[in-house]
Amino acid sequence: MMTERSRVAWADVAKGVCILLVVLWHVLMKHYLQIHWHIGGQVKGAWGTFGEQLLPLRMPLFFAVSGYFAVRAVRRTWPEVLRTKVAKFYYLYVLWLIIHTAILAFVPDFGTESADGPLKFVAQLFITPSNLWYLYALALYFVIARATRRVPPWVMLGLAFLLSATASAGLVAVPGDRAGVYQNLVFFLAGLYGKTVIDKLAAEASWLRLAIIAVPYAVLLGVVAFFDAKTWFGLWPVVSGVAIILGVTAAGLVTRWSGLTNALTSVGRRTLPIYVLHMPLLALLHAALVKPLSTAGSTIQVVAQIVEPVVLTAFLAWLCLFLYKYLPKALFELPFGLGISRSAAPSHRRTSPLSSR
C-alpha cells in the first residue's frame, strides 16, 4: 500500500491543487468580482487575470488524473463499471443537483445556473448539466471508455480532440456547462491511455523541464489573450494539453517536500466533499458578505481586496472537509455498498471519494 501511495503521490497533489483552484475560481467569479470595490486600484483586475490564466489547467488536469486512475476500472465487466462508476457518479450528480437547487433557491441573485422550474431541472438532469458537471461527465466518460475499449487509442483521442476543438471554437451549441463535457473527454482519455507516459513524466520531473514547458504555455496564453484566440479551432485543447504536462511536472516536483505533499494529498484524497459542498456554501457566504464588504471603509477594502480570495478559498475548503466528517456517508457514496467493486472492497475506504481507482 505504501508503494502505491508513493507512486501516485503526485496525482493526489495534482488533485488537491486542482480542487483548490476550482474553489478559488468560483470565489473570484461569483463573489469577489461582484463586490463594489470603491477604492479602485489594479488588485481586482490582477486577481481576475490570475484566475483566467489557470483556466486551461484546472479541469483538464483534473480529468487527466481521473483518466489515469480509471485504467483498471475500465477493464472490469460492464455490470461492474455500470454499478461502481456510472451509477455512482450519476447518483451523486442527481443527489447533489437536488440539494444545490434547494439551497440556491434561497439566494436567487447568486451568479450560478440553478433550476428555477421543473423543465430546467429536467434539462440539467439529462441535457445541460449544472455546476456539478464534473460528476455528470465522469459517468458519461466511463460509458464511452468501456464501450470503446477495443478501439485504437489514437482513433478515440483524435475524435475526442475534434470534439474538444469544435466545442471550444463555438461551432456547436454549448449552453451552460455543456461545453466542459465536450471539451474534457480528450483529457480523460489521455490520462487513461497515457498512464505509463504520465508516470514517467512525474517521476523524471526537474526544474529545467518545468521551465522549458512553462515557456510555450506562457506564449500560448499570450496568443490567446492578445488575439482573443480561445475560439481558434484546436488551439484551446492544445493549450490545455501543455498545461497538463506542466501540471504533472510541477506535481512531481512538489512531492519532494514532504510537508507540502502531505497537506496537498490530504486535500487531494478528499476532493468530492469540497467539490459538491463549496458552491452552496459560497452562495450563502456571498449573500452575507457582499453588502458589508461593498460598503466597508477604505482600510478594510484595501486588505480584503488583497487577501479575501485566498482566505475565503481556504475557509471554504476547511469547512467542506469539516462538514464531511459529520454528514451521512450516503451523500458521498452509492448507498448499500453498491458503488464498491468486489475486488477492491477491503481497501475502498483508503481511497479518495473522487478517485477512479
Side-chain angles (χ1 to χ4, degrees):
M1 188 63 183
M2 291 305 295
T3 300
E4 181 184 356
R5 285 194 173 187
S6 299
R7 181 173 56 83
V8 300
W10 71 266
D12 286 324
V13 165
K15 288 169 60 182
V17 171
C18 284
I19 195 63
L20 292 176
L21 291 178
V22 167
V23 177
L24 175 62
W25 175 246
H26 290 154
V27 166
L28 290 173
M29 298 304 295
K30 302 179 185 300
H31 166 69
Y32 179 82
L33 295 178
Q34 310 308 316
I35 296 170
H36 174 58
W37 299 104
H38 54 76
I39 59 172
Q42 304 299 315
V43 176
K44 174 184 175 182
W47 271 116
T49 301
F50 174 74
E52 289 176 354
Q53 302 316 301
L54 297 172
L55 277 173
L57 174 69
R58 282 187 294 267
M59 297 313 295
L61 180 57
F62 218 157
F63 276 108
V65 174
S66 297
Y68 172 91
F69 280 131
V71 174
R72 283 185 293 174
V74 170
R75 292 173 182 163
R76 295 172 187 161
T77 63
W78 265 113
E80 272 200 300
V81 172
L82 290 175
R83 185 184 75 253
T84 64
K85 300 302 175 184
V86 180
K88 172 185 174 180
F89 288 122
Y90 195 68
Y91 160 78
L92 291 173
Y93 174 72
V94 173
L95 173 65
W96 283 96
L97 178 62
I98 295 170
I99 295 171
H100 278 212
T101 302
I103 295 175
L104 293 174
F106 292 96
V107 279
D109 295 331
F110 186 63
T112 195
E113 285 289 326
S114 61
D116 53 6
L119 289 179
K120 190 169 182 179
F121 182 80
V122 171
Q124 288 186 338
L125 274 178
F126 301 110
I127 304 171
T128 302
S130 71
N131 59 69
L132 294 160
W133 65 273
Y134 174 75
L135 298 172
Y136 177 101
L138 274 186
L140 178 62
Y141 293 174
F142 271 99
V143 172
I144 293 172
R146 181 60 179 80
T148 60
R149 192 174 58 162
R150 301 191 184 281
V151 177
W154 65 268
V155 173
M156 289 305 301
L157 286 171
L159 292 174
F161 179 88
L162 289 176
L163 176 63
S164 181
T166 301
S168 59
L171 300 179
V172 293
V174 285
D177 286 303
R178 198 188 304 172
V181 178
Y182 292 167
Q183 291 176 16
N184 286 283
L185 173 61
V186 64
F187 309 121
F188 179 84
L189 294 178
L192 179 68
Y193 299 140
K195 188 175 187 298
T196 303
V197 175
I198 294 173
D199 274 331
K200 185 175 181 180
L201 183 65
E204 297 179 357
S206 69
W207 291 107
L208 177 60
R209 180 177 293 178
L210 184 71
I212 291 173
I213 301 167
V215 171
Y217 182 59
V219 170
L220 288 169
L221 287 178
V223 169
V224 171
F226 186 78
F227 295 102
D228 192 21
K230 184 179 178 180
T231 57
W232 288 7
F233 189 85
L235 181 59
W236 192 252
V238 168
V239 177
S240 298
V242 175
I244 289 172
I245 298 172
L246 185 69
V248 171
T249 302
L253 289 171
V254 167
T255 58
R256 298 176 186 178
W257 288 277
S258 59
L260 186 56
T261 299
N262 291 338
L264 289 174
T265 55
S266 176
V267 175
R269 290 169 184 157
R270 296 178 292 170
T271 51
L272 176 60
I274 298 175
Y275 182 74
V276 297
L277 282 168
H278 82 273
M279 189 67 81
L281 292 175
L282 175 59
L284 297 174
L285 286 170
H286 173 72
L289 294 174
V290 63
K291 186 174 181 179
L293 286 174
S294 295
T295 58
S298 298
T299 302
I300 293 176
Q301 278 220 337
V302 167
V303 175
Q305 196 174 76
I306 296 170
V307 306
E308 203 222 6
V310 173
V311 172
L312 191 53
T313 296
F315 175 71
L316 277 170
W318 172 84
L319 182 58
C320 292
L321 294 179
F322 175 79
L323 293 174
Y324 173 58
K325 291 190 295 185
Y326 301 101
L327 289 171
K329 296 309 175 187
L331 294 176
F332 306 97
E333 283 287 350
L334 202 60
F336 314 117
L338 293 175
I340 303 169
S341 169
R342 293 184 181 90
S343 61
S347 62
H348 77 277
R349 293 187 180 274
R350 292 176 289 185
T351 63
S352 166
L354 264 190
S355 169
S356 301
R357 281 173 268 183

